[in-house]
Structures are given as C-alpha cells and as structure tokens.
Amino acid sequence: ASNNALGVRRLGFGVSGPHGTPLVHPSLTADLIYRAVDRGVRLFDTGPSYGAGEAERRLGEAMRRLPRHDCIISTKVGLSSSGLARRIRDFSPEGVRKSVEGSLKRLGMKRIEWLLLHGPSPAEITDELLKTLTDMKRRGEITVLGIAGRGPELEAALNTGQFGVFMAPVHAALKPYDLARLARIRSTGAEIV
C-alpha cells in the first residue's frame, strides 16, 4: 500500500495463529496466500509462536510455488510455542540464534528478509542481543531487523537506531503519544507495518 497519514507504507498478509492449527486446512492457507499475491500483496508475516512453527512451514511451502523476487517474508523471534498454547519467551542471544535457525528450515529459506523481535520488554533489548542480531545481518542470515510491539518496547528499539521495521498498532483511535511515536518512526525512514 502507499503511504498514508499514519505512515504505513506496506500492507501485508499475516500467516498467524489459525494458520498454525487444524482450524484452517493447509490447502486453504496456501490458497489465501496465492490469492493475496494475485491481488498485489507482497509482504507475508509469520512467526514460530503460531502453531509451534506450523504457520511458518505452511508459508514456506506456499512460497516455493511463487516467484520470490518481489515478496518480503517476515518472521519473528523471542516467542515460540510448544503447540499446546504454551508460549515460551526467550530473547537471549542463543535463543534468538536457535529460533532463526528453526525458522529458516521451516520456511525453506537461506535468509530472512525481515526479522522482528516479537514483543520484547525494553529490558530485553540488550546490547548483547543487538550485537548478536548485527552479526546475523553481517553474515546474511537476516536483511532487516524489526520489532513487533505496542508500547515502550517500540521506543526502546527506536532509540537504538538499529531497527528498520516497526510493526505497531495503526488505527484512527490512536492516542496523541502513539501518533507522535509513529511520526518519529516515519522520520527515520523505517517501514511501519
């Protein structure tokens, strides 16, 4: 999508919760992805916390049948699930490395275009974590670092100058503080999803 007053530059398709469960058949997930591409969607977001990685696997499978040159695949780190609705938080450098390795395998990719921290607290955005992520970018495992959040973690990420994608609430009922944060993000040239 084009820019709008709130600064959103892209509209994407979330291969999230239901797409990692028996509630949505894998063939329906694939069909929805194909239809989204036909309608111009080029950003697809998922994460290992959706069905213990099943949503990532489904997205990867569908994308193998599509031209990838103009699509962005985004996944997350920091939250995972056991598949039994039990969420596990791990923003440690080792946990992030393991999560990226698993995501690359499930997605069938060599590189993650956008890697988003999945709702960390500001305290979890440590220098050690940022060094790990910078090293992963240097090695070509990830292209752009991002964050998905709703509050002070967005400010913490913005203050590091390391993040190029911000997945944040964007709607007409945002409070002035949230609108100011979106304007600040937009002023850096970062993507707002």
Side-chain angles (χ1 to χ4, degrees), residues 1-2 10 17 25 31 33 47 53 62 79 90 101 111 113 140 151 154 158-159 184:
S2 61
R10 293 190 191 267
H25 194 274
D31 184 53
I33 291 167
L79 285 183
D90 188 354
E101 185 178 295
R111 176 185 86 261
E113 283 98 0
L154 297 173
L158 189 55
N159 290 337
R184 186 168 165 226

Side-chain angles (χ1 to χ4, degrees), residues 97-115:
R97 280 191 291 272
K98 286 181 180 178
S99 182
V100 167
E101 185 178 295
S103 291
L104 287 168
K105 286 179 186 174
R106 286 185 295 274
L107 289 163
M109 296 168 42
K110 294 180 181 177
R111 176 185 86 261
I112 295 170
E113 283 98 0
W114 289 1
L115 181 69

Side-chain angles (χ1 to χ4, degrees), residues 83-94:
L84 304 172
R86 184 173 160 255
R87 293 216 171 188
I88 302 159
R89 289 182 71 83
D90 188 354
F91 289 95
S92 71
E94 183 60 26

Side-chain angles (χ1 to χ4, degrees), residues 131-143:
K131 181 186 180 318
T132 298
L133 293 165
T134 301
D135 289 346
M136 293 173 87
K137 280 179 66 175
R138 189 178 34 77
R139 288 192 307 269
E141 295 171 76
I142 60 177
T143 304

Side-chain angles (χ1 to χ4, degrees), residues 162-180:
Q162 302 277 332
F163 292 77
V165 175
F166 289 78
M167 183 178 284
V170 177
H171 51 77
L174 287 176
K175 301 210 180 312
Y177 179 79
D178 296 316
L179 290 170

